[in-house]
Amino acid sequence: MYEIFKALIIGIVQGLTEFLPVSSSGHIELFKVMLGLDLEGDQNLLFTLTLHTATALSTLVVFRKEVGEILVGLVKGKNEAIDFTLKIIVSMIPAALVGYFMKDTIEKLFSGNILLVGCMLLLTALLLLLAGRAKKTKKDIGFIDSFIIGLSQAVAILPGVSRSGATIATSVILGNDRSKTAMFSFLMVIPLIFGAMAKDLLDADTLHFSNEMLSSLSAGFIGAFIFGIIACRWMVALVRNAKLWYFSIYCAIIGTIAVVYTLF
């Protein structure tokens, strides 16, 4: 029962931090250490896939109207829908290349390296601070902007760098419209998540799990899905109202605590 509770807590953390600009990977590593959650091999793969599936689905729930319009537009051959889709594809290129060619190196970084997490949280704090000072505009995201935002997403593979924080901050600093930036940031990662999930499932041997593991997976999924919807909607409002600097302070505090903890 205690393991199920741990899974629920990690799921809630995943749901909140996947969208809020505070680094989901960094917080997951911190909470795994604090809760003593030790998953290896198939169990760790299953748990990770479950949490990411939950947050990807929560994104689709929040932006179901926009996604529906894009899909209908693609079928009808509308230029706006085609243009948006191509920009999403361009934004995926950097992270896809990094994930494919540097997967083993990246996985070694996710091993309770609290010092790295702390340093990267401080970097996230700086990005959010700069974005908070950027002027509001109505500028559309261009193809070059899409690639630069994609580079930020690639850097955010590091634990402690917030994916949403890095991509949203980069887009805002580039002078793009805040409302469009939030939607673009959250939708651009969905193809990567499902692509990575498919690859991991194909590469993995037959996955086995007990009834207790199934209960833990269910708890983690529910926590991540429900709180993912809440955090996604909240984040859209925060980006629109230029309040990213709140999270800059938070990341700076948590990052400093993590660095001090490892050094002393």
Side-chain angles (χ1 to χ4, degrees), residues 144-218:
I144 295 178
D145 291 342
S146 299
F147 185 76
I148 296 174
I149 296 168
L151 290 174
S152 294
Q153 180 165 252
V155 173
I157 291 176
L158 293 171
V161 180
S162 166
R163 194 208 65 82
S164 64
T167 54
I168 289 174
T170 299
S171 184
V172 169
I173 291 170
L174 289 171
N176 294 311
D177 179 270
R178 291 174 181 270
S179 296
K180 295 177 181 178
T181 284
M183 184 179 76
F184 189 85
S185 171
F186 294 144
L187 292 182
M188 68 188 279
V189 74
I190 291 179
L192 287 174
I193 289 176
F194 286 127
M197 286 167 50
K199 184 179 184 301
D200 285 339
L201 287 174
L202 290 173
D203 291 343
D205 297 326
T206 302
L207 298 175
H208 300 284
F209 50 91
S210 61
N211 289 333
E212 183 180 359
M213 185 62 187
L214 180 59
S215 298
S216 295
L217 291 173
S218 300

Side-chain angles (χ1 to χ4, degrees), residues 98-108 196 199-200 203:
V98 170
Y100 183 80
F101 289 107
M102 301 181 66
K103 181 180 178 181
D104 293 338
T105 302
I106 293 169
E107 287 179 347
K108 292 177 182 178
K199 184 179 184 301
D200 285 339
D203 291 343

